[in-house]
Amino acid sequence: MIKTTHKNIDWLLILLSVALIAIGWINIYSTTANDFTSFNFQANYGKQLIWIGSAIILALFTMVINYRFYPSFATPIYIIFTLLLLTVLFIGNTTKGATSWFGIGNIGIQPAEFAKYATCLLLARYVSDKDCDLTKSKHLFIALIIIIIPMIFILLQNDTGSALPFLFLIFALFREGLKSWILISGFTAIILFVLLVFLNQWIVVGIVSVILFTILWLFRKIKRNYPGVLLIYALIIVYIFSIETVYNKVLKDYQRARIETLFGKIEDAKGIDYNVIQSKIAIGSGGFFGKGFRNGTQTTLNFVPEQSTDFIFCTIGEEWGFVGSSFVLLLYALLICRIILRAEQQREAFVRVYGYCIAFIFFAHFTINIGMTIGLMPVIGIPLPFLSYGGSSLLAYTLMLFTFLNLDAKTNHWT
Amino acid sequence: MNFKHTYSNRKWVIFSFIISIFFIYIIRLLFLQVFDDQWDLKAKGNALRYLTDYPPRGLIYDRNGELLVSNAISYDLMVIPRKVKLTDSLMNELCTILSITPDDFMHRFNKAKAYSPYVASIFDRQISDETHGYIEERLHRLQGFYVQPRTLRKYLTSAAAHSLGYIGEVNYPEMEKNPYYKMGDYIGKTGIEKSYEEELRGIKGCQILMVDNLNREKGSFQNGRFDTAAISGKSLWSSLDKDLQEYGETLMQGKRGSIVAIEPSSGEILCLVTSPSYKPELLVGRERGRNYRKLEQDTFNKPLFNRALMAQYPPGSTFKLVNALIGQQEGVIDRNTRYSCHMGFAYGNRVLGCHAHASPADLVFSIQTSCNAYYCRTLKAILENRIVYKTTKEAYDAWHKKVLSLGFGQKFNSDLPYELKGNIPKSEYYDRYYGLNRWKATTIISIAIGQGEILATPVQLANLVAIIANKGYYYTPHIVKAIGHKDSLNTRFLEKHYVDVEEKYFFPIIEGMEKAATAGTVRSAAVPGIRIGGKTGTAQNPHGKDHSILVCYAPIDQPKIAISVIVENAGFGATWAGPIASLMIEKYLNDSIERKDLESRIINSILY
């Protein structure tokens, strides 16, 4: 057992997170400050400064706790936050149709952000168990249940955005032995769904058949299991025809509209895709070097909605241009890859799985949020970790990252 | 320890997935931000409002510094279609204020939207002061609309409509030709307003304001770094004499035709009267379109037709001056050449008639009495001059070149838009018409007396007299004397154009012209106390009674005014054109009219 020393702390991860928080604050200041002369703690940039202070305290606290605490208390933490998710349904406040936060005095707390942390902990604890084998359907089922319970509660809050990142934990399971075909089926399902937005279901069936039979013919020398192939074929066809029903009956109107605007099936600058258009205008007009700090017309003049929270990337794109926005992308890519790299070097399976889990939570937010602002993803309201204005998300991500830093610093590495 | 994780290799799949998403996003950003500039334009359309600062258009003065055209302020209601939230209440309110129908509203709105949803278009032009005040008060409710001040023309004379021209909104071809112009801008359409458009219009200024998502103004963009100030248009000093122009138009009341007067020593046009005309103020303001259509539809009077520049008449006997000059230059006649005339010129079995006068006539007398036979013989001598030219065609070409040097058969390329060039046929024309070598002097004898194919515009005839007054040169007739400052002369027209006739050959012509005024055909143009020289013309034409033509200049010894008068279908040159020219000269040189009887007889005569 290696004794705790600060030398084992991964300063690169700290540096990356501090850089993102600083960039975030500068851009929140740019969009929410009305003048340079006075400092207002009631404005978003002022409040965010208070949150940053709280995050530092939380980070220190997280770091000094004995690392054994986290696996041991994973289950109670998970239960507490799941229960909070349930409670918020009854006594929570509602914003934009989602009943997702508690108001305590002036501040609002969104338990969904913390539930991600709790889920990562419990999932890591369960999957890292020696006896757990994800190729066995029973164990896989339990792992999926851990992911799905908080998702269901969040979906009940009508907060689809916050539920989506949980699905990315599947990648962590993949690393721990989830059968590849499950992931492949998942991707196939997504591709088929996208195709179905554009094409008639019969055409999609035709395409699938042609591809399948071409593959069969190409690999005709290899011994095959014909009933299995037939089963897959049947499943795909059932899926194609059920999508139609799910798409039209289960999805809500606004969700369908968002998907269709994403693929350019609806165009209406003042309507549904107003946000996306304005977001693309802001980012696109930034050019190579950007318009400069506080010179972004689209963001400072309120054309972009939610510009300090979900659309913070627009401000970066407009004021700092391609240089600034690709720098931020790079910071995220480094952060995520660094976490995975450190996780891979862990002797303790718990730390490794936990690292993968939080890396994919970050990755989910990064992909969905930035993808949304540049028009590659449908509009889904989730924050950009460390950058977006908001206490809950900042504290939750600080908790996630610094728990990992604590675990990482105090456990053994492969060298 | 060498324990290997079973699924360790999967980390590479995961890394590649993350990194490919990263690169997809980077490439997307590259396209959005670096390669595609539509977003920048859209951002500007969103957040910037370009307020055009229209400079006042240059003023136009007459040659004596009297103001002819000035400016008046007016307001246009502008619309930026994309910023308008179309609601019933907005439509009702605007329809009531502007008293238009909802259909009309939608028509205007859609037209503006079709031009550009982002750029301001005129929704209603030249709204009244009352409506302007009313709209200003309600502007906060009319999102997407604003009021743009504009300058309109104000005319301080009811004359010279054709010379001054008018301004109107630019049309699509004009916008395509010059990107300076934007929808709703004004541009000179005819006259001085057109030929001096660039000097008069000045340069538009632009103020860039920022507006937020609710269309509220948020101050100037980057502290006005990109704003430009409007530069006022330059004033012009026309060569026109306001009093003379107005007087000429008064004299031409009830008559069709034109008066062109030129100052021979400078080529400056003193008056350019065309009749019937219209009042320039008809083509200003909200009624412009209706008035214009009315003028355009008046096919009987054709008030929009500028006869002084565009009517092409057979010059008749005034063209004898040209042949007299060229005949001398070609050496086929001199002042002592005498030709007999017994009521005309006989050729083949035909006779070109003449009136009764003493015979034989010498050069001076031939002008004084306007002898047809003399000029038929002169032309015959020119074209049959086999000492110099081998063929009729060659002789004709030499003649043609000299006629052109006298300003005929071509445009002056002056500052008067839409002039026509008249017609002096080339020898090729006759080759085609009669066949090669199938024509000779007698075939085309009518050009000797300014008939046949010969056509000239009033301004060319006035220029001919100016050439005679100058004894051999002219300045391009022009209508703008100075630009920007009263004394900064229009540099385009300072060049002397020498004609292909030597100075000495002008003296007999001038003598004949003076005698014509004292004891010849031009007596009716005589002005007591002033020595004038002139020549009448009576142009036969297929449209009815002959045109009455007279060209003259005065004073003989120090020419100040060269003038051509054409009164259509009024008979002999002496009858109508003479007295009109006479009064014009008296007006210009003496500044007052002694012969009130003559004046009122002319003014009150209606000849159509």
Side-chain angles (χ1 to χ4, degrees):
Chain A
M1 201 80 237
I2 294 163
K3 271 274 161 221
T4 315
T5 62
H6 66 274
K7 276 182 191 162
N8 287 333
I9 294 171
D10 187 17
W11 290 101
L12 179 63
L13 278 177
I14 293 180
L15 189 71
L16 287 169
S17 57
V18 168
L20 286 168
I21 290 170
I23 291 171
W25 188 80
I26 288 170
N27 286 288
I28 292 166
Y29 179 76
S30 174
T31 54
T32 59
N34 290 320
D35 57 86
F36 297 109
T37 47
S38 60
F39 199 91
N40 182 359
F41 278 98
Q42 292 308 305
N44 280 2
Y45 66 89
K47 287 199 249 174
Q48 182 72 358
L49 211 57
I50 298 170
W51 287 120
I52 291 172
S54 322
I56 293 170
I57 295 166
L58 183 66
L60 291 172
F61 190 69
T62 315
M63 290 294 284
V64 296
I65 287 179
N66 186 318
Y67 76 98
R68 293 281 172 212
F69 168 84
Y70 297 107
S72 319
F73 282 82
T75 316
I77 292 173
Y78 181 82
I79 291 169
I80 289 168
F81 280 108
T82 312
L83 284 176
L84 272 177
L85 283 178
L86 201 58
T87 344
V88 86
L89 270 174
F90 299 107
I91 59 163
N93 299 345
T94 308
T95 317
K96 288 179 189 153
T99 313
S100 57
W101 55 283
F102 294 115
I104 305 163
N106 263 353
I107 51 173
I109 292 288
Q110 222 180 333
E113 298 294 342
F114 296 97
K116 287 169 196 158
Y117 171 63
T119 309
C120 289
L121 279 179
L122 188 63
L123 194 64
R125 159 105 197 248
Y126 178 73
V127 172
S128 61
D129 194 296
K130 286 199 293 292
D131 299 331
C132 177
D133 180 358
L134 289 174
T135 54
K136 289 187 181 143
S137 43
K138 185 192 160 202
H139 294 164
L140 176 63
F141 182 73
I142 292 171
L144 289 178
I145 285 292
I146 293 172
I147 297 171
I148 286 166
I149 288 173
M151 272 184 77
I152 289 172
F153 288 144
I154 293 168
L155 284 172
L156 285 175
Q157 294 169 8
N158 217 349
D159 189 2
T160 329
S162 300
L164 219 49
F166 285 88
L167 285 180
F168 280 67
L169 293 173
I170 303 282
F171 289 107
L173 297 184
F174 170 71
R175 167 63 184 83
E176 296 305 321
L178 179 76
K179 286 218 166 84
S180 300
W181 66 263
I182 298 181
L183 211 59
I184 293 169
S185 325
F187 275 109
T188 314
I190 292 169
I191 292 167
L192 286 176
F193 181 83
V194 173
L195 279 178
L196 281 166
V197 173
F198 288 102
L199 303 171
N200 180 294
Q201 42 197 349
W202 292 104
I203 297 173
V204 179
V205 169
I207 293 170
V208 169
S209 312
V210 168
I211 292 174
L212 203 67
F213 289 114
T214 314
I215 291 171
L216 281 179
W217 190 78
L218 284 175
F219 298 97
R220 61 190 176 279
K221 300 255 166 68
I222 297 166
K223 236 180 103 186
R224 285 169 302 232
N225 167 3
Y226 279 105
V229 172
L230 262 174
L231 183 67
I232 292 170
Y233 187 56
L235 278 174
I236 290 176
I237 290 175
V238 169
Y239 172 75
I240 290 172
F241 286 99
S242 58
I243 276 291
E244 177 76 15
T245 327
V246 173
Y247 187 71
N248 287 326
K249 303 249 166 79
V250 180
L251 287 186
K252 296 185 179 74
D253 281 346
Y254 76 95
Q255 289 167 328
R256 264 199 304 280
R258 282 176 178 183
I259 290 165
E260 286 176 12
T261 47
L262 172 70
F263 295 115
K265 288 189 87 181
I266 310 177
E267 270 201 53
D268 175 14
K270 277 278 180 193
I272 298 138
D273 64 348
Y274 174 79
N275 294 356
V276 186
I277 293 272
Q278 293 302 334
S279 160
K280 283 202 270 185
I281 290 176
I283 294 172
S285 68
F288 193 77
F289 290 108
K291 298 178 185 170
F293 179 55
R294 282 188 62 80
N295 281 335
T297 50
Q298 306 307 297
T299 42
T300 52
L301 296 172
N302 296 323
F303 287 99
V304 179
E306 313 280 336
Q307 37 180 312
S308 60
T309 56
D310 296 348
F311 283 92
I312 186 81
F313 192 70
C314 294
T315 312
I316 297 166
E318 190 183 13
E319 299 193 346
W320 303 98
F322 178 69
V323 174
S325 36
S326 48
F327 180 66
V328 169
L329 286 190
L330 189 68
L331 288 183
Y332 273 115
L334 284 176
L335 181 84
I336 292 159
C337 291
R338 180 71 183 175
I339 292 171
I340 292 175
L341 212 65
R342 296 292 287 191
E344 280 292 338
Q345 291 171 346
Q346 284 297 328
R347 281 166 194 253
E348 286 207 22
F350 173 75
V351 186
R352 185 183 68 236
V353 181
Y354 176 75
Y356 264 99
C357 285
I358 64 160
F360 275 103
I361 293 291
F362 284 127
F363 181 67
H365 281 256
F366 162 83
T367 311
I368 296 171
N369 181 295
I370 294 181
M372 159 185 87
T373 60
I374 58 181
L376 291 179
M377 291 273 164
V379 175
I380 294 166
I382 59 170
L384 202 47
F386 298 124
L387 277 172
S388 287
Y389 166 77
S392 302
S393 70
L394 181 61
L395 293 181
Y397 297 117
T398 308
L399 211 50
M400 282 183 216
L401 185 68
F402 282 83
T403 299
F404 178 72
L405 282 167
N406 183 347
L407 292 165
D408 177 63
K410 292 169 190 172
T411 54
N412 283 347
H413 287 184
W414 299 103
T415 43
Chain B
M1 271 215 297
N2 206 9
F3 173 71
K4 263 253 180 260
H5 295 288
T6 333
Y7 301 105
S8 183
N9 283 339
R10 287 191 175 179
K11 69 177 179 237
W12 300 118
V13 178
I14 287 166
F15 272 130
S16 13
F17 180 58
I18 292 169
I19 288 164
S20 43
I21 293 282
F22 169 75
F23 276 110
I24 289 170
Y25 281 16
I26 289 279
I27 289 164
R28 172 71 173 184
L29 275 176
L30 201 64
F31 274 93
L32 268 182
Q33 300 188 293
V34 185
F35 298 139
D36 192 347
D37 51 10
Q38 62 154 318
W39 306 110
D40 190 40
L41 292 176
K42 285 186 173 159
K44 285 177 175 151
N46 259 344
L48 303 183
R49 179 186 290 161
Y50 296 83
L51 277 187
T52 310
D53 195 356
Y54 288 97
R57 210 172 159 81
L59 306 179
I60 304 176
Y61 297 92
D62 88 337
R63 63 187 294 107
N64 303 313
E66 271 197 73
L67 197 54
L68 297 176
V69 186
S70 69
N71 294 316
I73 193 127
S74 117
Y75 299 94
D76 287 345
L77 181 63
M78 310 294 288
V79 63
I80 302 172
R82 208 185 66 97
K83 295 194 171 159
V84 176
K85 288 200 177 70
L86 271 185
T87 59
D88 284 346
S89 66
L90 174 93
M91 260 175 74
N92 288 338
E93 186 156 16
L94 268 176
C95 286
T96 320
I97 296 174
L98 305 172
S99 49
I100 55 174
T101 64
D103 282 350
D104 195 13
F105 179 96
M106 283 317 295
H107 174 74
R108 291 175 188 206
F109 185 78
N110 290 332
K111 198 177 150 199
K113 201 169 165 186
Y115 174 63
S116 165
Y118 296 95
V119 176
S121 299
I122 297 181
F123 190 76
D124 196 26
R125 52 180 55 80
Q126 296 154 31
I127 51 180
S128 67
D129 276 354
E130 192 191 350
T131 315
H132 169 226
Y134 206 75
I135 288 176
E136 280 287 352
E137 280 170 26
R138 284 160 186 75
L139 220 47
H140 61 281
R141 285 213 296 263
L142 308 173
Q143 220 182 73
F145 289 91
Y146 67 93
V147 174
Q148 170 89 57
R150 301 291 287 262
T151 53
L152 282 186
R153 284 312 220 185
K154 193 176 160 199
Y155 294 93
L156 288 98
T157 172
S158 58
H162 287 95
S163 305
L164 298 172
Y166 55 88
I167 57 173
E169 265 176 58
V170 285
N171 53 33
Y172 285 99
E174 284 162 342
M175 279 189 275
E176 261 168 42
K177 227 168 96 187
N178 188 341
Y180 173 86
Y181 296 100
K182 297 280 172 281
M183 185 90 154
D185 282 4
Y186 286 106
I187 186 171
K189 295 283 186 184
T190 61
I192 294 177
E193 299 279 17
K194 182 183 167 81
S195 24
Y196 290 90
E197 165 67 15
E198 274 189 38
E199 285 83 356
L200 285 169
R201 76 173 181 216
I203 296 170
K204 281 185 287 188
C206 186
Q207 200 190 350
I208 310 174
L209 294 179
M210 293 196 294
V211 288
D212 69 3
N213 59 332
L214 301 175
N215 202 25
R216 295 173 298 206
E217 285 182 8
K218 291 285 174 182
S220 70
F221 178 58
Q222 302 215 350
N223 295 321
R225 192 143 69 91
F226 301 105
D227 292 3
T228 50
I231 298 170
S232 310
K234 289 179 184 160
S235 289
L236 296 182
W237 276 263
S238 167
S239 61
L240 291 179
D241 184 306
K242 181 179 173 227
D243 294 343
L244 189 67
Q245 176 77 31
E246 285 173 355
Y247 188 64
E249 292 195 16
T250 314
L251 292 179
M252 288 300 283
Q253 273 175 23
K255 301 154 198 81
R256 255 185 259 279
S258 81
I259 308 174
V260 178
I262 297 176
E263 184 179 73
S265 61
S266 62
E268 289 166 11
I269 294 173
L270 301 171
C271 77
L272 200 67
V273 176
T274 173
S275 179
S277 183
Y278 62 93
K279 289 186 168 27
E281 64 259 28
L282 284 178
L283 296 185
V284 183
R286 287 171 71 89
E287 298 297 306
R288 198 185 93 93
R290 198 173 310 159
N291 288 336
Y292 187 85
R293 271 192 299 283
K294 227 189 270 173
L295 293 172
E296 201 178 35
Q297 284 160 4
D298 185 354
T299 48
F300 181 68
N301 286 322
K302 293 191 193 160
L304 292 174
F305 180 57
N306 189 353
R307 290 178 156 76
L309 299 174
M310 298 179 72
Q312 306 180 98
Y313 303 99
S317 301
T318 55
F319 202 67
K320 289 173 184 164
L321 298 170
V322 173
N323 282 324
L325 289 168
I326 297 174
Q328 293 179 81
Q329 183 68 38
E330 290 290 336
V332 297
I333 55 168
D334 60 28
R335 67 175 298 143
N336 301 317
T337 305
R338 288 162 178 269
Y339 287 124
S340 60
C341 167
H342 302 287
M343 300 299 282
F345 170 70
Y347 58 104
N349 52 6
R350 300 167 67 184
V351 174
L352 198 152
C354 192
H355 56 99
H357 59 79
S359 172
D362 66 2
L363 181 54
V364 173
F365 185 68
S366 76
I367 289 172
Q368 180 186 346
T369 193
S370 194
C371 174
N372 284 346
Y374 194 95
Y375 289 95
C376 294
R377 289 182 195 281
T378 303
L379 186 76
K380 198 162 177 283
I382 294 171
L383 298 183
E384 290 174 358
N385 178 4
R386 289 293 167 274
I387 302 163
V388 184
Y389 306 109
K390 283 202 273 300
T391 61
T392 307
K393 186 182 164 78
E394 259 183 51
Y396 181 86
D397 287 340
W399 175 86
H400 183 267
K401 183 172 167 283
K402 290 190 171 63
V403 177
L404 257 59
S405 83
L406 290 158
F408 291 97
Q410 61 197 351
K411 291 181 184 178
F412 287 114
N413 285 323
S414 173
D415 52 0
L416 302 153
Y418 308 127
E419 54 174 334
L420 289 185
K421 58 184 189 177
N423 187 35
I424 307 294
K426 288 186 172 165
S427 56
E428 286 79 10
Y429 169 82
Y430 292 119
D431 285 345
R432 262 201 315 279
Y433 194 84
Y434 298 108
L436 208 61
N437 301 323
R438 301 277 305 271
W439 55 280
K440 51 185 183 172
T442 49
T443 325
I444 56 168
I445 201 68
S446 51
I447 65 170
I449 56 165
Q451 296 286 160
E453 292 83 5
I454 304 289
L455 294 173
T457 63
V459 71
Q460 287 172 335
L461 290 176
N463 188 53
L464 172 67
V465 208
I467 292 168
I468 294 168
N470 289 336
K471 300 183 192 73
Y473 65 86
Y474 69 95
Y475 293 95
T476 304
H478 58 277
I479 201 160
V480 169
K481 190 178 153 78
I483 300 166
H485 185 269
K486 197 176 177 356
D487 299 323
S488 79
L489 284 186
N490 197 346
T491 49
R492 272 175 69 189
F493 305 111
L494 296 178
E495 190 198 345
K496 261 187 198 178
H497 302 280
Y498 282 94
V499 303
D500 293 345
V501 178
E502 286 164 50
E503 188 180 0
K504 59 183 178 195
Y505 299 128
F506 283 89
F507 294 101
I509 309 297
I510 292 169
E511 201 180 313
M513 286 170 78
E514 187 177 8
K515 283 193 173 149
T518 51
T521 49
V522 192
R523 282 190 310 274
S524 65
V527 185
I530 299 172
R531 287 176 66 199
I532 76 161
K535 180 80 198 76
T536 53
T538 305
Q540 294 167 4
N541 71 91
H543 309 296
K545 212 172 157 188
D546 295 345
H547 298 324
S548 170
I549 305 179
L550 190 127
V551 297
C552 64
Y553 73 96
I556 286 278
D557 40 7
Q558 210 179 15
K560 287 209 159 58
I561 179 169
I563 191 164
S564 77
V565 179
I566 293 176
V567 186
E568 288 181 20
N569 311 118
F572 289 120
T575 331
W576 291 103
I580 291 172
S582 169
L583 287 167
M584 289 296 282
I585 291 169
E586 187 179 3
K587 175 78 181 171
Y588 185 65
L589 296 180
N590 292 353
D591 206 28
S592 62
I593 298 295
E594 303 261 311
R595 298 168 290 167
K596 294 287 181 196
D597 289 353
L598 178 66
E599 182 183 37
S600 63
R601 181 172 71 84
I602 297 292
I603 292 174
N604 296 326
S605 301
I606 293 174
L607 298 183
Y608 64 81

